[in-house]
Amino acid sequence: GESVGLHLPTLSVQEGDNSIINCAYSNSASDYFIWYKQESGKGPQFIIDIRSNMDKRQGQRVTVLLNKTVKHLSLQIAATQPGDSAVYFCAEPSWGQGAQKLVFGQGTRLTINP
Amino acid sequence: NAGVTQTPKFQVLKTGQSMTLQCAQDMNHEYMSWYRQDPGMGLRLIHYSVGAGITDQGEVPNGYNVSRSTTEDFPLRLLSAAPSQTSVYFCASSSGGSQHFGDGTRLSIL
């Protein structure tokens, strides 16, 4: 079955620096991944997604890279801001009757230091 | 636009008590789901629904019941609460794309 995992549970970076959060997956047939941001006391919020026919996808200050050879994806946040402090999850959807069922990784807590 | 609304935000129960966690969405989404999040972990799917009258089990369904009588509401029922059900519960909805999550119900079972 699907499983996603993260290399590090915590990450601290200086405000203005770039951050990279990593995620590994085990199923070589996996074809779609989503990154979520969860702020304290809130539910997860969609950041960006990527399909397996892409190696890279960019959003506003965020880039996701997918390496299918080693089954690894990363989330890069440029010029980090205090508001980027949160827990970040990679998630892999499966499908049931057309509904998206998410399998979440453990999460990485990102702390932005002033 | 409220999005996904969960009530209550906090609840403490005694072992064996029953309770219903409420979830409502105002986006006319057909898909709704319940997840639980334990400390230091990602969310795990409990039950989901693809429309009114249709529900199915997720990864960790034991001890929970759901029903979907309307498009807007998707309540989660604990019939006999156990300490292992202490967790934060999130409801989500979608129209087939990315899921929109509520802010959670923090539930403690003593």
Side-chain angles (χ1 to χ4, degrees):
Chain A
E2 304 97 346
S3 71
V4 288
L6 290 166
H7 294 304
L8 293 172
T10 62
L11 177 65
S12 291
V13 299
Q14 292 297 121
E15 182 177 352
D17 287 351
N18 299 333
S19 66
I20 300 176
I21 299 170
N22 297 303
C23 185
Y25 61 96
S26 60
N27 185 356
S28 57
S30 300
D31 61 359
Y32 181 47
F33 300 92
I34 307 172
W35 281 98
Y36 281 90
K37 173 186 181 182
Q38 185 178 26
E39 297 177 86
S40 180
K42 300 289 187 180
Q45 179 182 12
F46 173 90
I47 302 173
I48 192 169
D49 58 2
I50 189 167
R51 296 192 180 276
S52 61
N53 61 351
M54 305 173 70
D55 296 324
K56 178 180 180 179
R57 189 170 188 204
Q58 288 184 293
Q60 187 176 12
R61 287 198 305 115
V62 295
T63 301
V64 58
L65 300 177
L66 177 61
N67 185 330
K68 295 179 286 292
T69 302
V70 296
K71 292 183 283 188
H72 178 273
L73 64 159
S74 65
L75 177 71
Q76 301 178 4
I77 306 174
T80 52
Q81 304 168 357
D84 295 328
S85 290
V87 178
Y88 290 82
F89 294 97
C90 59
E92 179 182 354
S94 62
W95 304 94
Q97 303 182 66
Q100 185 188 82
K101 303 188 295 181
L102 293 171
V103 176
F104 283 81
Q106 183 180 3
T108 292
R109 180 175 298 280
L110 176 64
T111 301
I112 309 302
N113 300 313
Chain B
N1 192 336
V4 178
T5 302
Q6 293 184 237
T7 57
K9 293 188 183 303
F10 303 94
Q11 184 70 49
V12 179
L13 294 177
K14 294 181 179 179
T15 298
Q17 287 185 313
S18 63
M19 172 162 190
T20 299
L21 279 61
Q22 302 292 343
C23 176
Q25 53 95 4
D26 62 0
M27 297 172 282
N28 201 32
H29 286 167
E30 54 191 308
Y31 303 117
M32 296 186 74
S33 305
W34 276 102
Y35 294 82
R36 62 177 286 174
Q37 184 176 29
D38 298 314
M41 297 181 66
L43 284 70
R44 291 183 293 168
L45 181 65
I46 304 172
H47 286 284
Y48 65 100
S49 169
V50 301
I54 307 171
T55 65
D56 205 348
Q57 296 181 348
E59 179 186 357
V60 288
N62 292 340
Y64 307 96
N65 284 345
V66 292
S67 60
R68 183 100 178 268
S69 57
T70 67
T71 299
E72 294 79 18
D73 300 296
F74 190 42
L76 178 72
R77 297 183 185 86
L78 286 71
L79 296 180
S80 180
S84 62
Q85 294 177 304
T86 293
S87 190
V88 182
Y89 292 85
F90 289 97
C91 179
S93 75
S94 77
S95 58
S98 61
Q99 296 192 35
H100 298 255
F101 285 85
D103 286 336
T105 293
R106 186 175 297 274
L107 183 62
S108 295
I109 315 296
L110 305 178

